[in-house]
Amino acid sequence: MIRKTLRTLVPVLTLVFLYAPILILAFFSFTNATQIGMVRGFTLKNYITLFTTEELRSMIVGTLLLAFGSAILATLLGTLGAIGSFYSKKGVSSAIRTVNQIPVINADVVTGFSICILLVVVFGISKDTYIPLIIGHVTLSAPFVYLSVIPKLKQMDSSLYEAALDLGATPASALLRVVIPQIFSGMISGFSLAITLSLDDYFIATYTKPATFDTISTYVVNATKGSQTSIKTALWALSTVIFVIVILIVIGMNIKAAKEQKKG
């Protein structure tokens, strides 16, 4: 009886621990409270401020453009790296796999600081060009795309590519028409993960971004140090919107996976 109770209680407490702070923040985003714990009435003021303040809109749009742009580049490089590693000799493949692990294991703060020193100090690239920021986020995300694509390549029949060449296809045509369709789901997973990593990043953006540009992460940290209460409470609304979007995406992916499994 006690074991059965613990099996139920532990997952419930874990979920409460994980989601209670988010739900509390979402609740207060619909109030006039200036700080958590002081309810003064319910309103949509925070959401109106979020979508009508030019500064906040620019920050959100800039963050999304950075996330999708860097994710596209990371998906391209990570996929090519995975394909190259898969079809290379054992020694070369092992070297690529080892090098790919470094950004994954390395701390983000070290990666961001290293990229800043290399590009800005050594090569003299101005941070106002956004180049260091984009390269930083691609460096952060591409290894995870590699890790998402490699399992799909291993599941694929390795002789398909050679068979396409024997049937007269060019290497580029065989890659696009035979290999890419087989690993496309892994590319989508890597692309989604790259967007998430870019949206979540703080340290790399801090070291590489232009002074006039802010991502959601850097803006939130700076806003908590300021004195504009309306901006702070609007960020509660932003957190709630992001949380709801993530929930809808997860539900949609689960429904799609269930339908595909049922068809299978």
Side-chain angles (χ1 to χ4, degrees):
M1 182 65 181
I2 296 177
R3 289 184 178 179
K4 186 177 181 180
T5 303
L6 289 175
R7 288 174 185 173
T8 305
L9 186 61
V10 171
V12 170
L13 291 177
T14 302
L15 291 174
V16 170
F17 178 78
L18 291 174
Y19 293 105
I22 301 176
L23 295 176
I24 291 173
L25 189 65
F27 171 78
F28 279 97
S29 70
F30 290 97
T31 69
N32 280 325
T34 56
Q35 60 183 13
I36 301 297
M38 298 176 59
V39 179
R40 299 178 179 177
F42 293 93
T43 179
L44 294 176
K45 179 190 67 175
N46 294 326
Y47 291 87
I48 295 173
T49 301
L50 175 64
F51 293 109
T52 58
T53 304
E54 179 61 29
E55 180 182 356
L56 292 174
R57 287 206 309 266
S58 299
M59 177 268 295
I60 294 171
V61 171
T63 302
L64 292 176
L65 289 176
L66 172 65
F68 279 92
S70 63
I72 292 172
L73 294 175
T75 302
L76 177 62
L77 294 176
T79 301
L80 292 177
I83 294 173
S85 173
F86 182 73
Y87 286 105
S88 296
K89 295 181 179 179
K90 186 175 181 181
V92 176
S93 177
S94 178
I96 295 175
R97 185 170 60 252
T98 301
V99 171
N100 184 78
Q101 291 295 328
I102 296 176
V104 175
I105 300 173
N106 199 19
D108 289 353
V109 63
V110 177
T111 301
F113 191 59
S114 301
I115 291 174
C116 180
I117 292 177
L118 177 65
L119 298 180
V120 178
V121 178
V122 177
F123 291 105
I125 299 176
S126 174
K127 290 170 63 176
D128 294 333
T129 61
Y130 293 92
I131 293 177
L133 178 60
I134 295 174
I135 291 178
H137 278 217
V138 171
T139 303
L140 172 68
S141 305
F144 291 92
V145 176
Y146 174 96
L147 294 175
S148 298
V149 173
I150 278 292
K152 294 299 180 181
L153 285 166
K154 292 181 178 179
Q155 294 172 8
M156 181 186 72
D157 186 350
S158 59
S159 63
L160 288 176
Y161 179 75
E162 287 81 2
L165 296 179
D166 291 340
L167 292 173
T170 62
S173 178
L175 176 64
L176 294 175
R177 296 187 178 184
V178 177
V179 177
I180 295 299
Q182 296 290 324
I183 64 173
F184 189 69
S185 60
M187 293 172 61
I188 295 298
S189 298
F191 177 74
S192 302
L193 185 57
I195 291 177
T196 303
L197 289 169
S198 178
L199 293 173
D200 186 58
D201 172 66
Y202 170 75
F203 290 106
I204 292 178
T206 298
Y207 285 113
T208 58
K209 74 178 184 68
T212 57
F213 179 80
D214 268 311
T215 63
I216 292 176
S217 298
T218 59
Y219 188 90
V220 168
V221 172
N222 293 330
T224 56
K225 300 176 183 178
S227 58
Q228 297 185 22
T229 304
S230 61
I231 296 297
K232 291 181 182 179
T233 54
L235 294 176
W236 300 351
L238 175 60
S239 301
T240 304
V241 170
I242 294 174
F243 180 63
V244 171
I245 291 174
V246 170
I247 290 178
L248 293 177
I249 291 174
V250 171
I251 293 174
M253 291 177 64
N254 288 336
I255 293 175
K256 182 180 179 182
K259 288 182 178 179
E260 290 179 353
Q261 186 177 6
K262 187 176 179 181
K263 290 180 180 178

